[in-house]
Amino acid sequence: MALRRMGIILALLAIATLLSPAVSARFISLPTYHLPITTPPLADGLAFDLYSDSCPQLETTVRSAVQAALQQEIALAAGLLRIFFHDCFPQGCDASLLLTGANSEQQLPPNLTLQPRALQLIEDIRAQVHAACGPTVSCADITALATRDAIVASGGLPYDVPLGRLDSFAPAPSDAVFQLPQPTSDVSTLLSAFQTRNLDNVDLVALSGGHSIGRARCSSFSNRFREDDDFARRLAANCSNDGSRLQELDVTTPDVFDNKYYSNLVAGQGVFTSDQGLTGDWRTSWVVNGFAGNHWWFYGQFGSSMVKLGQLQGPSGNVGEIRRNSCFVPNSQTILAAAGDDGFTASA
């Protein structure tokens, strides 16, 4: 009788466990340090299906162009990702980085090493899209889509990109450009810069995962050469006093977008000070460990953080034009366009 009563009690406990989320969660294998991944409400003027009628072939056109380009040169993936980040971070994703001429962002030190071939790829895709659909899609939207497709082509998972950005009439202020994270930045500096853009510590660690692909000039991490550990000595030996030599940022799988970048950080093999520092600060180390142990969490969070980054807008919101003839509008002409000069039409 006692055994039967115990069996009934155990059965009731099992049922209660299944019906109670708080209890049952303890019996489900959850990712280490996993947090719910949420996407903020869409920013002003953005929508996921914006071009479904006006340019239904948009995403196919961009994807095909990116895949073809990466088959020829895989390094373009890192180039596109860096362009997207350097465009969005100063004053929002508005293709201001693509402006040329006097006082352009490309002339400032943080942007001097942007990939010319990746910049040209964005313009080549714009020409294809406008040939198919007319001037209905901005350079800013094309950059966002091309970056997503480059990440997927390199091994990442797809994520939906909200569209509807307009192209800026003027470059970002130089002081905003100089707020771009530097390879020598410490975690507090990085967190402060991200928080002013409504990006939190998880976003910081996820977006730093863009360094899973790409290479950097030795001059950008020469401060590491003075450190007394085996990895720093390997970096110094690889550079051999040549500041222009390139070093893979992910020393394990440099051309594959995956979570091995985080495993490298845990092992003390982050190339930049800004990367390796993420493991030594309690505000970010738990995210690094979580991503290193669960690639699905990293993939999901990276997509969510890219959507957040891609919705950054300037102080005036989503204002500008759709550049008709080229993404590389000279800055002097763009200023005239803002005053109503012929040839450039502002669009809402």
Side-chain angles (χ1 to χ4, degrees), residues 65-84 114-122 124-125 143 146-151 153-154 213-215 255:
V66 169
Q67 289 175 346
L70 264 62
Q71 286 177 357
Q72 298 297 317
E73 186 179 4
I74 190 63
L76 288 169
L80 287 171
L81 182 53
R82 188 161 182 248
I83 289 168
F84 180 70
L114 294 176
Q115 272 190 26
R117 300 175 306 283
L119 289 165
Q120 185 59 47
L121 177 59
I122 294 170
D124 293 344
I125 296 173
T143 302
T147 302
R148 187 272 311 275
D149 292 339
I151 291 166
S154 301
I213 53 177
R215 293 160 176 78
D255 293 324

Side-chain angles (χ1 to χ4, degrees), residues 2-32:
L3 290 175
R4 181 180 178 186
R5 186 180 299 113
M6 180 62 69
I8 294 173
I9 292 173
L10 290 174
L12 291 173
L13 285 173
I15 294 172
T17 296
L18 293 173
L19 293 177
S20 172
V23 176
S24 62
R26 294 181 300 172
F27 295 89
I28 299 174
S29 179
L30 293 174
T32 305

Side-chain angles (χ1 to χ4, degrees), residues 2 7 15 17 20 36 42 48 53 91 121 125 130 135 137 155 170 178 183 206 208 226 236 240 265 310 329-330:
I15 294 172
T17 296
S20 172
L42 294 184
F48 288 111
D53 294 326
Q91 69 170 13
L121 177 59
I125 296 173
H130 285 196
V137 185
F178 280 106
S208 296
R226 298 187 298 271
S240 303
L265 296 188
V329 179

Side-chain angles (χ1 to χ4, degrees), residues 21-147:
V23 176
S24 62
R26 294 181 300 172
F27 295 89
I28 299 174
S29 179
L30 293 174
T32 305
Y33 303 123
H34 192 280
L35 291 180
I37 296 173
T38 59
T39 301
L42 294 184
D44 179 33
L46 302 189
F48 288 111
D49 59 351
L50 187 67
Y51 300 109
S52 58
D53 294 326
S54 62
C55 192
Q57 62 270 59
L58 169 62
E59 297 210 20
T60 300
T61 301
V62 175
R63 185 179 305 113
S64 297
V66 169
Q67 289 175 346
L70 264 62
Q71 286 177 357
Q72 298 297 317
E73 186 179 4
I74 190 63
L76 288 169
L80 287 171
L81 182 53
R82 188 161 182 248
I83 289 168
F84 180 70
F85 187 86
H86 279 228
D87 180 48
C88 294
F89 204 80
Q91 69 170 13
C93 307
D94 56 6
S96 62
L97 178 63
L98 304 183
L99 294 170
T100 61
N103 301 317
S104 69
E105 295 174 47
Q106 292 185 40
Q107 294 181 334
L108 296 176
N111 296 320
L112 292 177
T113 56
L114 294 176
Q115 272 190 26
R117 300 175 306 283
L119 289 165
Q120 185 59 47
L121 177 59
I122 294 170
E123 168 58 19
D124 293 344
I125 296 173
R126 181 212 60 80
Q128 293 181 41
V129 170
H130 285 196
C133 304
T136 58
V137 185
S138 67
C139 296
D141 275 350
I142 288 170
T143 302
L145 287 171
T147 302

